[in-house]
Amino acid sequence: MADTAAAFDAGSGQIIDSIVVTGSKSDTLDIGGSVQRLDTADLERFSYGDINRVLRQIPGVYLQEEEGFGLRPNIGIRGSGTDRNGRITVMEDGVLIGPAPYSAPAAYYFPRPARIAAVEVAKGPAAIKYGPMTVGGALNLFSTPIPDVAARTLAGKAELLIGNHDGRRAHGWAGGWAPLGGGIEIGALAEGLYEHSSGFKVLDIGGDTGFEITDWTVKLGLRSTDGRHALEFKYQNYDETSNETYLGLTLADFALSPNRRYNGSQADVMDVAHTTYQFSHRFDITPNINLTTVAYRTDTARTWYKLNDVRNSANTGWVTIGSVLDNPVANPLQMADLIGANGFTGRAGALRVRNNNRVYQATGVQSVLTARFGTGAVAHTLELSARYHEDDEDRLQQDDRYQMVNSRMMLTTPGVPGSQDNRIGDAKAWAFFIRDTIEAGNVTIVPGLRYEAIDLRQTRWALTDPARSGATTVAKSNVDVFIPGISATWRPAENVRIVAGAHRGFASPGPGSPIDPETSWNYEAGVKLGNEAWRTEVIGFFNDYRNLVGTCTASTGGNCNIGDQFAGGKVDVKGVEITAGRTFGRIANDGFELPVSIAYTFTDAQFKTSFASGYEPWGTVTAGDRLPYLPRHQMTVNAGLALKAARLNATLNWVGKARATAGRGAIVPADRIDDRVLIDLSAEVDLLPNVSLFGSVQNLFDVTYNAAFSPAGARPGAPRLAIGGIRARF
């Protein structure tokens, strides 16, 4: 559910102003809970197409890289777990944007950052207003708004960039407002994005390993000139084809050629189609009472046709590709089938390729009523919110079998639709939220309470019944949970704020899961110093998990029934987040500006109970083992130089080593996610007042590192990527 604490600016015409947590970066200093925001200027410095690189700017966020372009992000917050963003709440313009955020939270569609105007991460008590996932926090992405310009004025932007590996990006938008008469104005925005790369990985047989994306958005708005009413309709359409794979490399092959791809992945391709429909209404009932209502629907269809496993040597079953790559010496036949060397003829039907065919739908409506009033010398901002949401995931999947012949995969046995998986998981959820921001002098206290009532259902048909005309097996469950939270801020001096807070963390179980919901109690405390010119924040956090939950997905390595959930018992995650920033000089006075900033996170995450699990990233756990994919240290340092007609920016990102599975002590090479220091540069030079040349280089020194062992085998981070071209604004 969205927050409406920000005051509506009658001249802005941006109805989403009423559903954001903060209206500007400076607002985050006074928010109850830890909130960081990147605005348009921050995002344009490097113009990243990879959300991982964007989020490296924010402390407390953990990122498991996968394919080097950010197409399949794995994002966690404060130790929530990273797999497919399944333990955080992801939104666009205040609306849940995952394909099925209740019934299949690990499903992956993710907005492209090239068309995003601002990013906000809410942690601690600030996160409970969103849901359903409140353990770690919430990520809110804001699309390009209808521009706030004078009536009958058109504003816009165009960007044409080209780069290595056949990289291409074309992005542009245009919009404005016009009077209709009778105190009404109409606004519109049209935006388009095209991205392409041939990929940096190299198939042994040759071929495209990149992607192509088209993404366009239309917004229509109406607003009254007195600012009391605002309407907005948004339609967004996204299409992606990416030649990506779960198949990585053995450690030995990674050391020799990290960007290599075996021929066994040559048929792998992902096709995604996604649409968003959103209708928003804002009504200022009185100057101190307003109501915002948002109705939404998203439709996502995705087919990822990819290598799943290899026939075992006895021809009686299958070996996961991850198991083959982990121990190639014990699986020589399987490795030969994966590599598919020139002149080699493999076993008939030894390669099993799965057609992961899934369709998702999500629909909902949410309203927030905000009232501002006083009781004596105490000011209140009371928020009451309700949301009804439905979503579902439909799987109708089959396996095809291939034979490797002279480096090429030949289809030997086509599968029948539904013969591998034939089920629908769905969820219906009511959510209610109440929060009161109480301001008394230099003290602000913000108590809040969220309630979620979730009905989950999984319906299975026989694998021989693709028409779904026969008997079904139905599993139902429901969850009712109260999620309280409270934060406090004390301002002992003008630029000093001491903050503290606590809230309950919750993550909904999946349809058909017998596992208890994931719950925790989360605490934070620290100090915020500064104002609009400079700032420093130091926040300590402690998440006390009562029942950590792991979900079996192909992206975690498989070796279990996809969708099954596993209990991880008690876990402690504690750490410190530090941010600081200041801009030296002013262009107006000194002719230059020198902005510098730092974001650092220290994390200590340990299991507190011992157990044996079929969940591959955990395995056999002993109390005291550290969680996988959680580096102890992360740091990003930014520095720039801005002149009147040119800008230069540099960022250094350091990520410490992490382990791929639970454990302790020294990390063996077969389990080590490499530490790395990466430097990115960008530069922009104005040719005309509204036209500039822009260029950026990611991973300037072409550092090679193993970014992950999930889904299967060692996986390289992106090498040096350069892109440049022209920007125009009007």
Side-chain angles (χ1 to χ4, degrees), residues 257-300:
S257 182
N259 294 332
R260 178 186 179 187
R261 264 180 58 174
Y262 302 133
N263 287 330
S265 68
Q266 64 188 258
D268 292 8
V269 63
M270 164 79 95
D271 291 300
V272 183
H274 172 90
T275 55
T276 299
Y277 307 85
Q278 183 174 328
F279 183 81
S280 307
H281 175 239
R282 164 87 181 207
F283 175 35
D284 281 3
I285 303 170
T286 72
N288 294 316
I289 301 175
N290 55 65
L291 176 69
T292 297
T293 300
V294 181
Y296 58 90
R297 178 185 174 102
T298 62
D299 293 280
T300 306

Side-chain angles (χ1 to χ4, degrees), residues 172-509:
W173 59 262
W177 292 88
L180 283 180
I184 302 295
E185 293 180 334
I186 185 171
L189 172 85
E191 180 174 26
L193 170 66
Y194 172 80
E195 293 181 285
H196 173 274
S197 173
S198 60
F200 60 84
K201 296 178 185 175
V202 181
L203 270 164
D204 288 347
I205 197 175
D208 198 328
T209 62
F211 66 91
E212 185 171 59
I213 292 172
T214 59
D215 192 349
W216 56 277
T217 304
V218 174
K219 292 184 178 182
L220 297 174
L222 291 172
R223 67 185 184 187
S224 59
T225 54
D226 62 6
R228 293 192 63 197
H229 291 274
L231 295 168
E232 184 176 280
F233 172 74
K234 169 186 168 185
Y235 173 76
Q236 181 246 339
N237 183 283
Y238 172 97
D239 285 287
E240 172 194 331
T241 297
S242 51
N243 299 287
E244 265 302 334
T245 182
Y246 276 6
L247 183 64
L249 298 169
T250 67
L251 271 178
D253 286 337
F254 182 88
L256 292 173
S257 182
N259 294 332
R260 178 186 179 187
R261 264 180 58 174
Y262 302 133
N263 287 330
S265 68
Q266 64 188 258
D268 292 8
V269 63
M270 164 79 95
D271 291 300
V272 183
H274 172 90
T275 55
T276 299
Y277 307 85
Q278 183 174 328
F279 183 81
S280 307
H281 175 239
R282 164 87 181 207
F283 175 35
D284 281 3
I285 303 170
T286 72
N288 294 316
I289 301 175
N290 55 65
L291 176 69
T292 297
T293 300
V294 181
Y296 58 90
R297 178 185 174 102
T298 62
D299 293 280
T300 306
R302 49 140 283 194
T303 299
W304 197 344
Y305 194 71
K306 66 179 185 297
L307 181 69
N308 192 72
D309 43 26
V310 191
R311 197 68 173 165
N312 67 8
S313 301
N315 199 32
T316 57
W318 300 92
V319 183
T320 65
I321 54 178
S323 297
V324 175
L325 298 177
D326 287 346
N327 195 351
V329 174
N331 297 279
L333 289 177
Q334 290 72 26
M335 274 304 303
D337 283 315
L338 291 180
I339 293 173
N342 188 33
F344 169 80
T345 298
R347 298 168 295 159
L351 298 173
R352 187 163 66 167
V353 179
R354 181 157 297 167
N355 183 8
N356 293 272
N357 180 28
R358 304 174 192 175
V359 177
Y360 305 89
Q361 181 271 323
T363 304
V365 60
Q366 59 191 39
S367 289
V368 185
L369 179 71
T370 303
R372 299 172 180 83
F373 59 93
T375 54
V378 178
H380 297 262
T381 301
L382 181 66
E383 298 163 80
L384 302 170
S385 181
R387 179 176 70 205
Y388 179 73
H389 176 95
E390 295 182 358
D391 64 47
D392 61 70
E393 177 194 48
D394 187 338
R395 298 189 180 206
L396 191 69
Q397 304 183 168
Q398 85 265 12
D399 289 332
D400 296 337
R401 295 178 65 174
Y402 285 80
Q403 180 181 18
M404 187 68 74
V405 179
N406 195 26
S407 300
R408 296 196 177 276
M409 293 171 61
M410 311 297 292
L411 180 65
T412 59
T413 309
V416 177
S419 58
Q420 187 277 321
D421 203 352
N422 190 3
R423 60 178 157 122
I424 294 177
D426 62 78
K428 297 179 179 179
W430 278 99
F432 301 92
F433 176 72
I434 181 171
R435 184 179 76 167
D436 189 11
T437 301
I438 305 167
E439 299 179 81
N442 60 359
V443 175
T444 301
I445 299 176
V446 188
L449 179 65
R450 182 179 193 82
Y451 172 70
E452 293 265 1
I454 308 168
D455 291 322
L456 299 162
R457 179 178 62 182
Q458 184 184 87
T459 305
R460 288 183 178 269
W461 288 266
L463 300 182
T464 55
D465 184 17
R468 296 176 171 173
S469 58
T472 62
T473 301
V474 179
K476 295 182 179 180
S477 61
N478 59 74
V479 178
D480 294 274
V481 61
F482 286 94
I483 306 169
I486 187 170
S487 67
T489 303
W490 175 41
R491 294 176 295 279
E494 181 179 358
N495 293 325
V496 179
R497 300 159 182 83
I498 298 173
V499 299
H503 78 282
R504 189 183 188 193
F506 167 79
S508 173

Side-chain angles (χ1 to χ4, degrees), residues 570-648:
K570 295 183 178 180
V571 171
D572 286 350
V573 180
K574 54 183 178 289
V576 177
E577 301 167 357
I578 300 174
T579 57
R582 182 171 182 178
T583 298
F584 298 91
R586 293 183 61 186
I587 289 180
N589 298 333
D590 308 308
F592 71 91
E593 290 180 354
L594 292 170
V596 294
S597 65
I598 185 173
Y600 170 78
T601 308
F602 169 79
T603 310
D604 181 17
Q606 298 183 24
F607 288 94
K608 308 305 289 183
T609 52
S610 302
F611 60 92
S613 172
Y615 183 53
E616 190 161 296
W618 295 347
T620 299
V621 172
T622 302
D625 283 354
R626 299 193 180 279
L627 269 67
Y629 288 102
L630 277 181
R632 290 173 67 84
H633 303 282
Q634 299 184 120
M635 182 175 69
T636 297
V637 179
N638 299 311
L641 170 63
L643 305 175
K644 290 183 178 180
R647 291 154 294 283
L648 177 67

